[in-house]
Amino acid sequence: MRHALFLSTALVFAASSASAETRSTTMSCAQVSALVQERGQVVFDTGGGELSRVVANPSSCDPSQDGAPSWIPSQDQSQCLAGYRCQERQGHGN
């Protein structure tokens, strides 16, 4: 229950502070990376109904998460290093 409440709060925070979805495929890789650095975090629409939250710094992740490189499509690259994605640590809570 506590994890679900935290996750809900985190998603609301991410949606409000990352602004509305931004389509990554309409920007160059350099623009994608610059936007993430400028805003700290962005929720990208990467096409096909897929959303990807990208953060500028892994320290933006929950303490139970690690930051992993976030590769998303951009206008000029199929795999643009946009920043980091937060993911649960392996073995956390076991």
Side-chain angles (χ1 to χ4, degrees):
M1 176 69 178
R2 185 175 154 206
H3 180 66
L5 178 60
F6 180 81
L7 182 59
S8 297
T9 304
L11 289 174
V12 168
F13 175 76
S16 63
S17 63
S19 76
E21 300 149 20
T22 302
R23 187 169 291 268
S24 65
T25 55
T26 63
M27 298 185 293
S28 70
C29 184
Q31 290 171 318
V32 166
S33 299
L35 185 64
V36 171
Q37 289 302 312
E38 176 186 311
R39 293 188 182 171
Q41 64 179 350
V42 180
V43 176
F44 286 103
D45 177 346
T46 58
E50 296 291 319
L51 298 178
S52 182
R53 176 179 176 247
V54 181
V55 297
N57 190 315
S59 66
S60 299
C61 298
D62 179 67
S64 67
Q65 298 176 321
D66 288 321
S70 179
W71 299 91
I72 63 174
S74 65
Q75 187 178 44
D76 59 343
Q77 294 184 25
S78 62
Q79 295 291 306
C80 170
L81 180 57
Y84 299 91
R85 62 183 165 82
C86 299
Q87 63 183 21
E88 290 296 317
R89 288 193 179 120
Q90 295 295 331
H92 182 73
N94 291 334

